[in-house]
């Protein structure tokens, strides 16, 4: 039960991200790079403003903690945070490109592949242990993804690229402990903005003038970037990255529903079957926690 709040944080983040295409599709006519530039610059500006207005104490504490680390730990911390920023940039660009220029289905498939990649990376790199039922869940997820890739191998290739970048981010940030999560996220996004800034004059398009563009960008920055990323990092402080990765399946299942019922993309019985298998995999992977909550609720009701 101690981990329930971390589960809630992760689930909330992935429900929000599942709805991302609702605000991304209205600006599909803009180049993916322009959306990425404005998203990152807006997020960095907002987070720096919040940090310096309300988080100055946490900034000082974070600096002190970093200074007190041994040299090897400092080097590890720098690599984890720079790597985290690079993984985020790569993930955002590829996701935006695929949603706007390939299909919403391909983007949703990426976040079905991601939990498998996250679980495998966590097992081999972080040495996270898995129950037999969780390995069964991984097998179910793989079979679902194979079914989905059967009809379009290019969708799977795009999906692997997107999924691998976010899996690497999750695993790297699971190992990145001891610092205030908001300050860490501010660093990641600010570093991303600084890296992208030199490229904007050459690769950015004309400055948008539509109110719709800026409304969508600010919505993306606040509701679909800062809030879910913070919830994600918070979840990683209490549950392991393979669990967070498997819960990530919530995101594409919502996105798949939007693709089918809102955007009216063509959906086949094979795809419905595959998503059903993956939904079952999520339940199986987290069955131990579901049963623990059920037993706790039963004991409470008996006690009352």
């Amino acid at each position: 039960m101690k981990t329930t709040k971390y589960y809630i944080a992760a689930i909330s983040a992935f429900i929000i991200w599942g709805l991302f295409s609702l605000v991304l599709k209205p600006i599909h006519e803009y180049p993916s790079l322009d959306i990425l530039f404005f998203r990152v610059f807006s997020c960095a500006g907002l987070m720096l403003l919040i940090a310096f207005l309300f988080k100055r104490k946490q900034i000082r504490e974070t600096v002190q903690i970093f200074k007190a680390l041994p040299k090897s730990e400092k080097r590890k911390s720098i690599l984890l945070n720079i790597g985290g920023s690079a993984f985020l940039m790569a993930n955002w660009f590829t996701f935006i490109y695929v949603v706007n220029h390939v299909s919403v289905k391909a983007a949703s498939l990426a976040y079905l592949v991601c939990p498998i990649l996250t679980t495998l990376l966590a097992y081999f790199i972080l040495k996270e242990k898995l129950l037999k039922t969780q390995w069964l869940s991984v097998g179910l997820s793989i079979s679902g993804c194979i079914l989905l890739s059967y009809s379009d191998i290019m969708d799977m290739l795009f999906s692997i690229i997107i999924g691998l970048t976010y899996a690497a981010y999750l695993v790297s940030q699971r190992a990145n402990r001891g610092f205030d999560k908001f300050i860490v996220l501010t660093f990641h996004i600010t570093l991303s903005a600084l890296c992208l800034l030199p490229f904007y004059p050459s690769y950015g398009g004309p400055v948008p003038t539509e109110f719709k563009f800026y409304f969508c960008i600010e919505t993306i920055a606040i509701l679909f970037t800062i809030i879910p990323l913070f919830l994600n990092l918070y979840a990683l402080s209490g549950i392991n990255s393979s669990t967070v990765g498997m819960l990530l399946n919530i995101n594409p299942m919502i996105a798949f529903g939007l693709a089918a019922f809102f955007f009216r993309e063509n959906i086949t019985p094979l795809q419905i079957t595959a998503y059903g298998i993956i939904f079952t995999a999520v339940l199986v992977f987290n069955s131990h926690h579901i049963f623990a909550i059920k037993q706790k609720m039963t004991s409470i009701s008996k006690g009352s």
Side-chain angles (χ1 to χ4, degrees):
M1 291 298 289
K2 290 180 180 178
T3 60
T4 300
K5 60 184 178 181
Y6 302 110
Y7 273 86
I8 291 171
I11 291 168
S12 299
F14 300 139
I15 288 173
I16 292 170
W17 272 328
L19 301 170
F20 192 13
S21 56
L22 290 176
V23 73
L24 193 55
K25 271 293 188 180
I27 53 174
H28 73 276
E29 68 270 19
Y30 291 91
S32 300
L33 263 178
D34 279 358
I35 297 172
L36 177 66
F37 283 137
F38 280 91
R39 178 190 189 182
V40 175
F41 296 156
S42 182
C43 285
L46 286 169
M47 296 197 73
L48 285 171
L49 183 64
I50 293 169
F52 284 111
L53 286 179
F54 306 107
K55 294 278 189 177
R56 280 176 288 187
K57 179 183 176 183
Q58 287 84 348
I59 292 173
R60 289 193 296 269
E61 289 174 351
T62 301
V63 172
Q64 290 170 358
I65 292 170
F66 179 78
K67 286 181 177 179
L69 291 174
K71 186 177 289 186
S72 60
E73 288 297 312
K74 283 182 181 176
R75 190 181 304 113
K76 177 183 175 183
S77 177
I78 291 169
L79 288 174
L80 285 173
N81 283 291
I82 292 175
S85 182
F87 292 137
L88 269 186
M89 276 193 296
N91 179 259
W92 289 348
F93 174 73
T94 51
F95 179 82
I96 291 168
Y97 177 83
V98 170
V99 166
N100 284 351
H101 301 288
V102 182
S103 73
V104 175
K105 283 187 300 184
S108 67
L109 176 58
Y111 290 104
L112 294 173
V113 175
C114 182
I116 300 167
L117 297 173
T118 303
T119 302
L120 295 176
L121 288 177
Y123 179 78
F124 289 110
I125 297 174
L126 299 180
K127 308 302 180 185
E128 292 183 0
K129 303 300 181 184
L130 297 176
L131 302 172
K132 289 182 180 179
T133 53
Q134 292 175 320
W135 278 116
L136 172 62
S137 172
V138 173
L140 287 171
S141 293
I142 291 172
S143 64
C145 288
I146 290 172
L147 282 177
L148 286 171
S149 65
Y150 179 76
S151 59
D152 197 332
I153 193 65
M154 286 307 297
D155 275 12
M156 176 56 79
L157 291 177
F158 279 115
S159 300
I160 289 173
I161 294 169
I162 299 173
L164 186 59
T165 55
Y166 198 70
Y169 179 75
L170 286 177
V171 171
S172 68
Q173 296 317 296
R174 174 63 175 167
N176 188 21
R177 299 182 178 184
F179 301 106
D180 181 90
K181 296 304 179 186
F182 188 88
I183 303 304
V184 167
L185 186 56
T186 301
F187 177 84
H188 291 166
I189 293 178
T190 303
L191 181 59
S192 298
L194 291 173
C195 291
L196 288 174
L197 190 59
F199 297 97
Y200 179 69
S202 300
Y203 295 97
V207 177
T209 56
E210 280 189 295
F211 171 78
K212 178 182 73 172
F213 177 83
Y214 292 102
F215 175 79
C216 288
I217 287 294
E218 293 309 311
T219 304
I220 289 170
I222 298 169
L223 184 58
F224 292 94
T225 304
I226 296 173
I227 292 174
L229 275 177
F230 178 77
L231 289 171
N232 211 178
L233 289 178
Y234 177 74
L236 284 168
S237 67
I239 53 180
N240 62 38
S241 50
S242 56
T243 301
V244 173
M246 192 55 66
L247 288 171
L248 181 57
N249 279 308
I250 294 168
N251 170 348
M253 282 187 281
I254 293 173
F256 179 79
L258 288 176
F261 301 110
F262 190 81
F263 296 112
R264 302 294 181 182
E265 292 185 4
N266 183 44
I267 304 297
T268 66
L270 180 67
Q271 291 169 331
I272 294 171
T273 302
Y275 273 85
I277 291 171
I278 292 165
F279 178 72
T280 304
V282 175
L283 295 179
V284 170
F285 193 93
N286 296 288
S287 58
H288 64 291
H289 186 73
I290 295 169
F291 289 138
I293 293 175
K294 186 178 179 180
Q295 289 172 356
K296 182 71 173 179
M297 296 302 293
T298 302
S299 63
I300 289 172
S301 62
K302 286 181 179 179
S304 60

